[in-house]
Amino acid sequence: MNDQPVRWTQATVYPDMWVDPDNDPRNGDGPAPDCELATLMGYLADYRATLLMKCEGLEPEQLARRSVPPSTMSLLGLVRHLAEVERDWRNWLDDAEPLPKLYGRRDADFDDVVGERSAVDAAYADLAREQAATDAALAGHTDLGARLEKDGIAVRELLVHRIEEYARHCGHADLLRECVDGRVGQ
C-alpha cells in the first residue's frame, strides 16, 4: 500500500495545467495593459487568485496539514502568512506607529494553524481585508518612482516585492497541494 497521492489535474485539454484555459479565471479577455502600474497589478491579482485556487476544494484539516515535515508550512499557514505580510507592507508606507501583528509572535501565522472551519474562514477574511487595505493605501501612489515615507522605498519596489512574495508562496502551494491530494498543474 502506497500512501502517496496519485497525481491528477482537473484540466482535460492540457493535462499539465490546473484548469483548462477556457475555465481559468486568471485569463482575461482583451489586450494586455498599456501601462506599468496596470501590468504589475495584473500580475499581483493573478498570483492572489492562484493561491486561492491551490486551496480550493480542500477540507479544513487538509488546508492545515503540514505536508513537508519538519516544516510548519501548510496551505492555511500560507493564507495567514500573506495576510500578515499585506499588513506589514502598510507599515512601510509611512512613519506611523506599526500595525500590530495579526497572529501574535513571529511565525504564529504558520505555527498556530488549526484545521477547523472557523479558523479557515477567519484566515480568508483576514487575507481579503488586509489585501483591500493595502491596495487602498497604495491607490493614491500612482507614480511608481515615488519614494514612500518609511525607509524611502519606491512604490515600484513595493509592488514588485508583493508580486515576488505571492509568486514564491504559490510555488510552495504547488508542492503542498500535491502532497495533500496529488493535484498538480500550473
Side-chain angles (χ1 to χ4, degrees):
M1 178 79 185
N2 186 347
D3 61 355
Q4 295 293 330
V6 176
R7 292 173 57 107
W8 68 280
T9 178
Q10 286 184 342
T12 56
V13 176
Y14 302 102
D16 63 332
M17 299 180 91
W18 188 259
V19 295
D20 289 324
D22 291 342
N23 299 324
D24 193 333
R26 299 165 297 181
N27 289 347
D29 293 331
D34 288 331
C35 70
E36 184 180 5
L37 178 59
T39 299
L40 293 171
M41 293 306 293
Y43 274 95
L44 179 61
D46 286 349
Y47 280 118
R48 286 173 169 176
T50 298
L51 177 72
L52 296 177
M53 289 171 70
K54 295 294 178 173
C55 294
E56 70 186 16
L58 296 177
E59 296 298 320
E61 51 278 350
Q62 291 175 304
L63 289 167
R65 185 177 303 156
R66 294 176 175 146
S67 303
V68 189
S71 173
T72 60
M73 193 177 294
S74 66
L75 289 165
L76 183 55
L78 287 175
V79 171
R80 289 166 47 112
H81 173 70
L82 287 164
E84 192 76 75
V85 169
E86 288 279 356
R87 175 174 277 220
D88 186 53
W89 282 323
R90 289 200 311 283
N91 290 329
W92 296 5
L93 300 179
D94 58 42
D95 289 326
E97 189 68 28
L99 297 165
K101 291 185 126 335
L102 285 173
Y103 302 109
R105 65 177 169 63
R106 181 182 166 101
D107 294 331
D109 39 352
F110 289 110
D111 293 341
D112 296 341
V113 167
V114 294
E116 298 172 359
R117 175 56 48 201
S118 61
V120 170
D121 294 345
Y124 281 115
D126 289 344
L127 180 61
R129 182 190 65 246
E130 297 303 322
Q131 287 172 338
T134 303
D135 289 349
L138 279 170
H141 300 283
T142 56
D143 176 359
L144 297 180
R147 300 279 174 181
L148 301 172
E149 295 293 323
K150 189 170 188 178
D151 299 327
I153 188 171
V155 173
R156 177 182 293 104
E157 184 179 353
L158 180 57
L159 289 173
V160 170
H161 186 66
R162 291 171 81 195
I163 293 165
E164 177 273 332
E165 184 85 13
Y166 277 91
R168 182 165 32 94
H169 290 312
C170 283
H172 294 134
D174 285 339
L175 297 173
L176 290 164
R177 179 64 187 251
E178 187 174 359
C179 286
V180 169
D181 70 353
R183 187 155 180 211
V184 296
Q186 92 275 21

